[in-house]
Amino acid sequence: MVISFLLIPKRADMGMIYLLIFGFLFFAWGNMEKPQEMINDLCSAIKWEFWLNMAYSCLFFPEQAGYVYQGIYRNPNIFAIYILVACSVFLTEMVDGKEEKLLKKGISALGLGISFCMIWKSQCRSVMSGAGLAVIISVYTLLRRKSLRKKSICLLRGMVLMVIITAGLFLGHAGINAFPQQQDSMNVLDNSSRKKDGDILTLYAEAAQLPNNKLIQKIFTSRSLDDFTSGRIGFWKAYLRQMNLIGHEFRAVINGKRYLPHNGFLFIAYQYGVLSAIPYLLYLFYYMLYGYRYFMSNREKEKYAGFPFLLIVSVFPFLLLDNLESPFQYEAWFVMYFTTGLLLEKRETTPRIEGWLATEKKPL
């Protein structure tokens, strides 16, 4: 990225920015005695933000018939990827190995149900796919947990949590429909269907309930894969045709206009040269690998050991189908890079002082 910036001037040298980010993260994580505390604080902050945002959305941004719900954001996809971060936190709390009271698990289950409801109402297919994938992996790892195999699973406890998750679904729906009479010009965003000549990606805002469901209609009315992906196949082909070794200054030109590729890999490869995609792919590979290892080795003792892994699993479909690689624009992007220092920092098995004392010869 740095080399591409030197050859092709851009608005910002993302290579230097990434180097500073990773340098700071490795320095911070490497000098913490208990790095897990930073993950705990981060997840707590995400939960507080989620509950405050949900209260604010319910009070001032009710759901409107004929529109995809987008909360306080101007785009339902941005709202969905924001909710997905909190969903990953709640999902991690549901499958962690630490013994907690039913009340704490119940709050996590309630937040998980509300998150599922908001993601469904946003109708963002990439986020829905990521959330479903994270749930499948979470259930799989939960069933393979040693502590659950050693003792019988409390069926009643599991049923209670499932009931609370279901209650969260209904609570989320009721919350954004409880104050429809309070709509005013400030809170009603103009999301009417819009279509411009020459536009490939067209937004049709529709209600998120059957039978006017955007996802269902896409499945039955799409005549091709390009139609189902809202023109993304055309974007990807255009970006692939215009790639080179040194990168570009601006976005790719498609039908006379510049569009984002709606794909993180293509954006990196196009903007900074095709060779830049190699370290980027390696980064994501090692993130998943070390995230899984950290989860499996610490899930019985750390509360949020699975959060980095479940986060990357859940955001991966969004990375493939949307513009996640927009630095500092999405909370999911920030959190994903922020947790990298925990996963990639190599640590000694024993503290330095204790290790030095263990090797020192004691006097007779």
Side-chain angles (χ1 to χ4, degrees):
M1 289 180 176
V2 175
I3 295 174
S4 176
F5 181 80
L6 295 175
L7 298 176
I8 307 286
K10 302 175 177 63
R11 289 185 300 175
D13 185 359
M14 291 309 303
M16 291 301 299
I17 292 176
Y18 277 107
L19 286 176
L20 291 174
I21 290 174
F22 281 107
F24 168 76
L25 290 178
F26 288 156
F27 175 81
W29 287 110
N31 287 275
M32 292 185 66
E33 294 183 0
K34 297 180 180 180
Q36 185 64 32
E37 290 183 356
M38 188 180 290
I39 290 288
N40 297 343
D41 294 339
L42 177 65
C43 292
S44 297
I46 291 172
K47 288 192 298 182
W48 276 104
E49 184 187 20
F50 170 80
W51 290 116
L52 292 174
N53 197 335
M54 286 299 97
Y56 188 72
S57 297
C58 292
L59 288 174
F60 302 107
F61 292 87
E63 186 178 21
Q64 304 168 49
Y67 296 90
V68 176
Y69 189 67
Q70 56 194 34
I72 64 175
Y73 295 90
R74 299 187 63 87
N75 186 294
N77 289 1
I78 298 178
F79 174 69
I81 192 62
Y82 160 74
I83 295 296
L84 187 61
V85 179
C87 181
S88 300
V89 174
F90 293 127
L91 194 59
T92 303
E93 293 179 339
M94 295 292 294
V95 300
D96 63 40
K98 298 195 69 175
E99 293 293 336
E100 290 185 344
K101 296 181 179 180
L102 182 61
L103 178 60
K104 291 185 177 181
K105 290 288 186 181
I107 296 176
S108 302
L110 186 65
L112 191 62
I114 297 176
S115 301
F116 287 155
C117 177
M118 295 300 129
I119 290 174
W120 170 256
K121 288 184 176 296
S122 72
Q123 289 298 284
C124 180
R125 284 154 285 168
S126 57
V127 172
M128 285 192 287
S129 302
L133 183 60
V135 169
I136 293 174
I137 294 178
S138 298
V139 172
Y140 173 75
T141 56
L142 181 64
L143 295 177
R144 288 180 55 86
R145 217 170 69 194
K146 293 180 180 180
S147 59
L148 293 180
R149 294 200 297 266
K150 292 179 181 178
K151 58 183 180 180
S152 59
I153 302 176
C154 182
L155 181 60
L156 179 60
R157 181 185 177 95
M159 292 178 61
V160 170
L161 293 178
M162 290 301 300
V163 170
I164 296 176
I165 293 176
T166 305
L169 292 170
F170 288 100
L171 182 62
H173 174 75
I176 58 178
N177 287 277
F179 307 99
Q181 69 277 9
Q182 296 187 9
Q183 300 177 17
D184 55 24
S185 58
M186 285 184 59
N187 301 325
V188 177
L189 299 178
D190 184 13
N191 276 334
S192 57
S193 301
R194 56 184 185 268
K195 185 176 182 180
K196 299 179 181 179
D197 295 336
D199 281 4
I200 294 180
L201 184 63
T202 305
L203 171 64
Y204 294 97
E206 299 160 347
Q209 290 88 24
L210 293 173
N212 251 349
N213 184 274
K214 181 180 179 182
L215 178 61
I216 302 298
Q217 289 186 354
K218 276 286 185 181
I219 294 175
F220 287 100
T221 61
S222 298
R223 293 171 294 180
S224 64
L225 183 60
D226 192 50
D227 288 340
F228 182 74
T229 58
S230 300
R232 282 170 170 79
I233 303 297
F235 284 15
W236 299 342
K237 290 181 179 179
Y239 267 81
L240 287 171
R241 286 194 296 264
Q242 300 179 42
M243 281 189 183
N244 58 28
L245 290 175
I246 60 176
H248 298 79
E249 182 178 1
F250 302 106
R251 303 171 184 175
V253 177
I254 306 172
N255 285 1
K257 295 184 178 182
R258 298 187 182 276
Y259 292 92
L260 286 170
H262 292 272
N263 185 290
F265 302 99
L266 293 180
F267 178 77
I268 295 293
Y270 172 86
Q271 194 76 15
Y272 306 104
V274 292
L275 295 180
S276 63
I278 298 176
Y280 182 70
L281 289 172
L282 288 174
Y283 161 72
L284 292 175
F285 170 76
Y286 281 112
Y287 189 103
M288 290 187 178
L289 177 63
Y290 291 140
Y292 178 75
R293 289 180 178 178
Y294 186 82
F295 180 27
M296 300 304 291
S297 60
N298 295 279
R299 58 182 176 177
E300 300 292 337
K301 54 184 178 180
E302 302 291 352
K303 185 176 181 179
Y304 294 108
F307 174 67
F309 178 66
L310 291 180
L311 178 68
I312 189 64
V313 167
S314 59
V315 303
F316 194 76
F318 190 87
L319 179 66
L320 291 176
L321 299 172
D322 283 283
N323 302 305
L324 181 64
E325 278 299 336
S326 297
F328 304 105
Q329 180 176 353
Y330 300 107
E331 184 175 285
W333 181 92
F334 174 80
V335 175
M336 181 181 71
Y337 281 101
F338 186 77
T339 54
T340 305
L342 174 67
L343 302 179
L344 301 185
E345 179 68 23
K346 295 182 179 179
R347 302 184 180 278
E348 299 176 1
T349 55
T350 57
R352 295 179 182 178
I353 296 179
E354 294 180 3
W356 177 76
L357 291 176
T359 57
E360 184 183 13
K361 294 183 179 180
K362 296 183 179 180
L364 296 176

